[in-house]
């Protein structure tokens, strides 16, 4: 076995912090959505949590909220934030609209045709396509930090889909049951090029509003966290 085949590399895939979005728009890939003050606190908290880790590479989705989340982590390790388009949010036909039962896009019959196939899904980027690009992004980060650790900042759905693929779960799912809260870390440990374990942690859990935590029930009148 060569040294590269025996190297242990950890790739932490982080969901960005809270976004300033008072209108409750499903912002998806739209530009101009930045972290809220609370979101910046979340990013700083995770940077503190990772300060003593052997991180040699930090990369993020090109969207502002991801780049801003990655910045304090990179700074703590004297690194620049790289950008990888493959870490971007999933495409969604409801982007730019409010979305929910009883309000927004779901009230319009013309949109119902997009809800016919939850297995693909019919309203956005196919789950299989997300797996392909996210696995490629993880592989690039692994190679960049071979024998050390990397941080990739991405978005809830692509993170959950690639984790589901690695853990051999079906890709279609109930969005309310995703274990991928704001500023969480889904950590993939590689031995050589092979993933040998997946971990999950929430260093900023106490900063996350209860209704936005994994598995939380919707709260009427609470701020919405769309476009993750």
């Amino acid at each position: 076995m060569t040294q590269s085949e025996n190297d242990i590399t950890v790739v932490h895939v982080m969901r960005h912090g809270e976004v300033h979005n008072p209108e409750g728009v499903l912002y998806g890939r739209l530009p101009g959505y930045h972290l809220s003050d609370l979101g910046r606190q979340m990013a700083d908290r995770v940077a503190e949590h990772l300060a003593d880790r052997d991180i040699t590479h930090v990369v993020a989705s090109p969207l502002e909220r991801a780049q801003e989340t990655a910045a304090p982590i990179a700074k703590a390790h004297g690194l620049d934030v790289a950008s990888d388009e493959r870490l971007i949010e999933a495409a969604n036909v409801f982007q730019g609209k409010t979305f929910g039962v009883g309000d927004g896009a779901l009230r319009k019959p013309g949109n119902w045709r997009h809800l016919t196939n939850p297995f693909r899904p019919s309203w956005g980027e196919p789950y299989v396509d997300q797996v392909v690009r996210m696995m490629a992004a993880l592989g690039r980060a692994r190679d960049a930090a071979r024998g050390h650790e990397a941080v990739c900042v991405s978005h809830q759905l692509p993170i959950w889909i690639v984790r589901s693929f690695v853990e051999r779960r079906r890709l279609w799912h109930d969005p309310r049951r995703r274990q991928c809260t704001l500023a969480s870390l889904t950590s993939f440990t590689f031995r050589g090029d092979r993933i040998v374990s997946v971990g999950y942690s929430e260093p900023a859990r106490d900063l996350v509003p209860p209704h936005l935590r994994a598995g939380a029930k919707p709260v009427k009148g609470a701020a919405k966290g769309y476009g993750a």
Side-chain angles (χ1 to χ4, degrees), residues 2-14:
T2 67
Q3 183 61 40
S4 63
E5 292 172 336
N6 199 40
D7 282 339
I8 298 296
T9 308
V10 181
V11 179
H12 305 282
V13 186
M14 180 182 177

Side-chain angles (χ1 to χ4, degrees), residues 14 42-52 69-74 76-77:
M14 180 182 177
M42 292 176 182
D44 289 341
R45 173 70 63 80
V46 177
E48 293 171 5
H49 175 76
L50 296 173
D52 294 330
T69 298
I73 299 171
H77 294 274

Side-chain angles (χ1 to χ4, degrees), residues 55-109:
I55 293 169
T56 61
H57 182 65
V58 178
V59 61
S61 155
L63 295 173
E64 293 99 330
R65 58 192 186 270
Q67 291 282 320
E68 291 165 2
T69 298
I73 299 171
K75 182 178 179 180
H77 294 274
L79 301 169
D80 293 325
V81 178
S83 183
D84 190 332
E85 289 276 353
R86 294 170 296 191
L87 294 171
I88 202 167
E89 174 64 290
N92 191 307
V93 298
F94 296 106
Q95 176 177 289
K97 303 175 182 178
T98 56
F99 183 82
V101 176
D103 72 324
L106 286 186
R107 297 185 63 183
K108 300 177 181 178

Side-chain angles (χ1 to χ4, degrees), residues 92-174:
N92 191 307
V93 298
F94 296 106
Q95 176 177 289
K97 303 175 182 178
T98 56
F99 183 82
V101 176
D103 72 324
L106 286 186
R107 297 185 63 183
K108 300 177 181 178
N111 288 326
W112 296 351
R113 62 190 173 87
H114 297 301
L115 305 174
T116 57
N117 184 357
F119 307 105
R120 186 178 186 266
S122 53
W123 55 83
E125 181 183 8
Y127 293 138
V128 171
D129 292 356
Q130 294 180 53
V131 169
V132 171
R133 65 176 172 86
M134 288 294 289
M135 287 297 294
L138 263 63
R140 175 66 184 87
R142 175 205 62 214
D143 291 345
R146 182 79 67 172
H148 304 279
E149 300 184 32
V151 176
C152 301
V153 181
S154 187
H155 308 267
Q156 186 191 56
L157 179 55
I159 296 171
W160 181 247
I161 289 301
V162 75
R163 177 180 172 184
S164 296
F165 172 77
V166 170
E167 295 182 333
R168 300 185 179 182
R169 288 192 302 275
R170 66 190 186 204
L171 301 183
W172 62 272
H173 61 283
D174 181 343

